[in-house]
Amino acid sequence: MAFLKFILITFAVYFVIRFLFKLLLPFAMRKAAEKLMKKAQEQGGAYSGQGQGGTFHYEFTGQRQQENKRSQPEGKIKVDYIPPKETPERKGTETAGEFVDFEEIK
């Protein structure tokens, strides 16, 4: 009898938790999306919410790219990274590794 009671309580708790997740997860996801949108808007994009809690739409205005273009005077080039020079490829036995002589035993 105790085992049957345990099984029924376990199923009841499982279904209650499952029901609560179905109710609360969309709300949590909506709040997380709003937080991300707000952060993106502060970084230079444009945010527009359609309706109350409806679809979100994000447009990047390219404000940072325009600022970067203005900050460099025309005709000047700035190089951030120069790759290292490659050594010429070795050919033949230089790249083959170590050879070991062997004798075939019959």
Side-chain angles (χ1 to χ4, degrees):
M1 185 68 177
F3 181 70
L4 184 61
K5 187 177 179 181
F6 172 76
I7 296 292
L8 289 175
I9 291 174
T10 304
F11 275 121
V13 168
Y14 170 74
F15 284 111
V16 166
I17 290 174
R18 188 173 159 195
F19 179 73
L20 288 175
F21 269 109
K22 281 186 179 182
L23 289 178
L24 298 178
L25 196 61
F27 176 74
M29 294 297 287
R30 188 176 305 123
K31 286 294 182 183
E34 287 174 0
K35 188 176 181 180
L36 284 173
M37 293 295 176
K38 184 177 181 182
K39 186 176 180 181
Q41 182 182 11
E42 289 172 359
Q43 291 179 355
Y47 161 82
S48 64
Q50 298 172 350
Q52 293 287 60
T55 308
F56 294 102
H57 181 67
Y58 178 77
E59 296 176 4
F60 183 72
T61 59
Q63 202 170 16
R64 291 223 174 208
Q65 291 176 351
Q66 292 172 357
E67 290 173 5
N68 288 340
K69 286 182 181 178
R70 289 186 207 139
S71 65
Q72 292 181 355
E74 202 168 317
K76 298 283 182 175
I77 298 175
K78 179 181 176 185
V79 179
D80 291 335
Y81 174 74
I82 300 174
K85 293 189 178 191
E86 295 181 16
T87 59
E89 292 186 29
R90 300 183 298 173
K91 295 183 181 178
T93 58
E94 294 177 3
T95 59
E98 188 175 325
F99 288 101
V100 178
D101 292 332
F102 72 95
E103 293 182 16
E104 188 174 334
I105 300 175
K106 293 184 179 184

